[in-house]
Amino acid sequence: MIIPEGQESELAGFFLYCTQILSWLPPLVFTFMNEADINLSWGGVHLNAYLLAGLICFLFLPKWNICREIAKEENKMKHEVEMG
């Protein structure tokens, strides 16, 4: 719905890449905290820090209508490939 035409595979690949790169980080940090005898309640607080980071990123996104307008614009990357 808001993915620019012709970039569906590129953005899906980027999403999978980011998911695979970052999915190991919270369990690893939690394990280090647990092995260092840090109280498990702090481990839970640590896991919520990732949600807070996601919320902060979400707050910087433009409004939904603006995102849809941007997605409907001409794909500049596709235009450059055709011209070049």
Side-chain angles (χ1 to χ4, degrees):
M1 193 177 285
I2 63 168
I3 298 176
E5 184 179 336
Q7 290 185 294
E8 296 89 356
S9 298
E10 177 184 353
L11 292 175
F14 182 70
F15 171 75
L16 289 173
Y17 173 76
C18 291
T19 304
Q20 294 299 318
I21 291 296
L22 297 175
S23 65
W24 57 269
L25 185 60
L28 179 68
V29 174
F30 184 84
T31 300
F32 283 148
M33 291 175 75
N34 188 31
E35 292 297 320
D37 290 329
I38 297 174
N39 192 339
L40 285 179
S41 62
W42 285 110
V45 170
H46 149 264
L47 294 175
N48 288 323
Y50 295 99
L51 294 174
L52 179 64
L55 178 63
I56 291 170
C57 292
F58 180 75
L59 291 174
F60 285 104
L61 291 174
K63 295 187 187 260
W64 180 253
N65 294 335
I66 296 171
C67 290
R68 291 187 64 180
E69 290 174 15
I70 292 170
K72 287 181 183 178
E73 292 177 2
E74 182 181 356
N75 188 341
K76 295 175 185 172
M77 291 178 60
K78 183 178 177 183
H79 182 68
E80 289 178 9
V81 170
E82 290 173 357
M83 298 294 289

